[in-house]
């Protein structure tokens, strides 16, 4: 027998499924748990946003032993009921899909009325060995006049210039967003003829993994320079491809030009490509 219960919405209960969760959760958070014959069978986390009329199902998980028994369907139904009772009419679910892998969760949600798919961002985990081989073929380089300096050492005037440039860009291109996470040696500012021409922000995630948080070259300099050439120059200077086995790049859907570039230039070097998408259902 399947029993569905509400439980305290504490982040620690759900961090196994969503590690980024931190306490305290928003006021509209609701925890749900499923039991089968007294055994834990699954859980869900709902976060209602009555002001916008939407509710997010942030976690929806069924233990492998209890799959295909209806546990997931009952958890989803209870989550939707809680969303309705909170005054919301739209339910949202965010999924992470791996390219080339089956996506039963997507089929599960489609069958239950979730549509209006929207791409949020795509993450590419790139093999350094493959990038190094490609770099050797391309021989991309920056113009002789390009000057590279540590991004975090930018002067007050340079920071003001960076803010002015990034004010009209997608948020994920902001070079100093969460700058405390940036690697002080690998994150660089590029100047040409005394003006800021571009930048790259890099974070070290693990001993063998770097994350390219932002990479941008101003349009007026793209004839002579490119984001890829900037990245390759930094990789050469710091031997990144030898020191780190993987480089990770996340691209927002708000940056379609970069998505096209990543699919064309980076996807062939990827060990995995993950797509984060949002589905909606009107209740």
């Amino acid at each position: 027998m399947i029993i569905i219960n509400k439980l305290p919405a504490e982040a620690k209960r759900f961090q196994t499924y969503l590690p980024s969760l931190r306490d305290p959760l928003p006021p509209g958070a609701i925890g749900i748990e499923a039991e089968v014959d007294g055994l834990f069978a699954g859980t869900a986390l709902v976060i209602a946003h009555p002001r916008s009329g939407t509710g997010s199902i942030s976690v929806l998980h069924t233990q492998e032993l209890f799959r295909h028994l209806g546990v997931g369907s009952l958890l989803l139904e209870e989550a939707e009921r809680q969303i309705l009772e909170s005054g919301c009419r739209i339910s949202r679910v965010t999924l992470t899909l791996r390219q080339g892998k089956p996506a039963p969760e997507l089929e599960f949600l489609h069958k239950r009325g979730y549509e209006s798919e929207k791409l949020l961002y795509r993450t590419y985990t790139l093999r350094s060995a493959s990038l190094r081989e490609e770099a050797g073929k391309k021989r991309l380089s920056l113009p002789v006049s390009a000057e590279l300096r540590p991004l975090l050492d930018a002067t007050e005037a340079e920071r003001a210039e960076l803010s002015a440039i990034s004010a009209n860009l997608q948020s994920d291109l902001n070079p100093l967003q969460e700058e405390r996470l940036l690697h002080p040696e690998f994150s660089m500012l590029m100047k040409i003829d005394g003006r800021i021409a571009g930048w790259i922000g890099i974070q070290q995630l693990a001993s063998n993994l770097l994350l390219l948080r932002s990479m941008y070259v101003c349009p007026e300099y793209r004839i002579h320079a490119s984001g890829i050439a900037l990245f390759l120059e930094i990789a050469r200077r710091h031997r990144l491809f030898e020191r780190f086995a993987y480089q990770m790049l996340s691209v927002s859907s708000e940056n379609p030009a970069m998505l096209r570039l990543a699919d064309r230039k980076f996807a062939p070097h990827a060990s995995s490509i993950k797509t984060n998408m949002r589905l909606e259902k009107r209740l």
Side-chain angles (χ1 to χ4, degrees):
M1 182 178 179
I2 304 173
I3 297 176
I4 305 294
N5 300 307
K6 286 182 65 174
L7 68 157
E10 300 170 345
K12 63 183 180 182
R13 293 180 179 269
F14 302 97
Q15 285 170 340
T16 299
Y17 320 106
L18 198 60
S20 60
L21 278 178
R22 294 292 181 269
D23 277 323
L25 293 176
I30 302 165
I32 304 168
E33 185 176 88
E35 293 182 357
V36 175
D37 297 332
L39 300 175
F40 172 72
T43 191
L45 174 65
V46 172
I47 300 178
H49 310 280
R51 294 184 65 178
S52 65
T54 63
S56 301
I57 302 176
S58 300
V59 173
L60 182 64
H61 174 78
T62 301
Q63 295 285 84
E64 188 171 356
L65 180 64
F66 300 103
R67 290 174 187 171
H68 309 296
L69 300 178
V71 173
S73 296
L74 289 177
L75 281 170
L76 181 60
E77 289 173 10
E78 179 62 20
E80 291 173 349
R81 190 177 71 81
Q82 294 293 337
I83 289 171
L84 275 173
E85 288 190 356
S86 299
C88 302
R89 300 291 302 179
I90 295 176
S91 175
R92 287 178 173 171
V93 180
T94 300
L95 291 180
T96 300
L97 306 178
R98 290 166 172 78
Q99 186 167 299
K101 302 290 185 180
E105 62 272 42
L106 182 60
E107 182 181 355
F108 172 85
L109 290 167
H110 278 165
K111 288 180 177 178
R112 288 154 183 83
Y114 282 81
E115 298 174 343
S116 303
E117 295 179 8
K118 179 182 178 180
L119 173 67
L120 299 178
Y121 60 90
R122 188 167 289 136
T123 301
Y124 306 79
T125 301
L126 310 171
R127 297 182 296 268
S128 290
S130 181
L131 287 171
R132 183 172 61 245
E133 182 179 343
E134 184 69 12
K137 296 176 183 176
K138 295 290 184 181
R139 298 292 179 186
L140 292 174
S141 61
L142 296 174
V144 176
S145 58
E147 174 194 1
L148 297 185
R149 294 178 43 220
L151 177 61
L152 298 185
D153 290 346
T155 65
E156 187 174 339
E158 289 169 338
R159 284 175 175 267
E161 190 176 350
L162 285 168
S163 296
I165 296 171
S166 59
N168 298 314
L169 302 176
Q170 296 84 5
S171 59
D172 63 325
L173 292 178
N174 187 328
L176 296 174
Q177 186 177 43
E178 295 188 291
E179 64 175 288
R180 62 184 177 81
L181 301 176
L182 297 180
H183 194 288
E185 186 180 9
F186 305 153
S187 301
M188 302 295 285
L189 173 68
M190 179 172 68
K191 302 187 77 171
I192 296 178
D193 298 328
R195 296 181 58 195
I196 291 177
W199 58 78
I200 187 165
I202 298 177
Q203 176 184 354
Q204 184 173 346
L205 294 180
S207 60
N208 67 341
L209 176 64
L210 294 179
L211 170 65
L212 280 65
R213 293 188 62 91
S214 63
M215 184 170 66
Y216 182 73
V217 172
C218 299
E220 58 266 38
Y221 299 103
R222 289 177 188 165
I223 294 176
H224 306 291
S226 69
I228 296 177
L230 174 58
F231 170 59
L232 292 178
E233 176 61 28
I234 294 168
R236 281 191 288 267
R237 289 190 182 193
H238 297 287
R239 298 180 58 251
L240 298 185
F241 295 153
E242 290 77 23
R243 295 168 62 185
F244 300 92
Y246 298 97
Q247 324 283 324
M248 184 180 289
L249 173 69
S250 289
V251 185
S252 166
S253 63
E254 297 176 0
N255 193 352
M258 187 61 192
L259 271 175
R260 290 193 295 270
L261 177 66
D263 281 333
R264 189 172 70 253
K265 296 292 188 180
F266 289 133
H269 307 287
S271 60
S272 72
I273 300 175
K274 297 179 182 179
T275 297
N276 279 65
M277 62 190 307
R278 188 177 69 206
L279 289 81
E280 290 187 354
K281 174 182 177 181
R282 180 167 290 278
L283 302 177

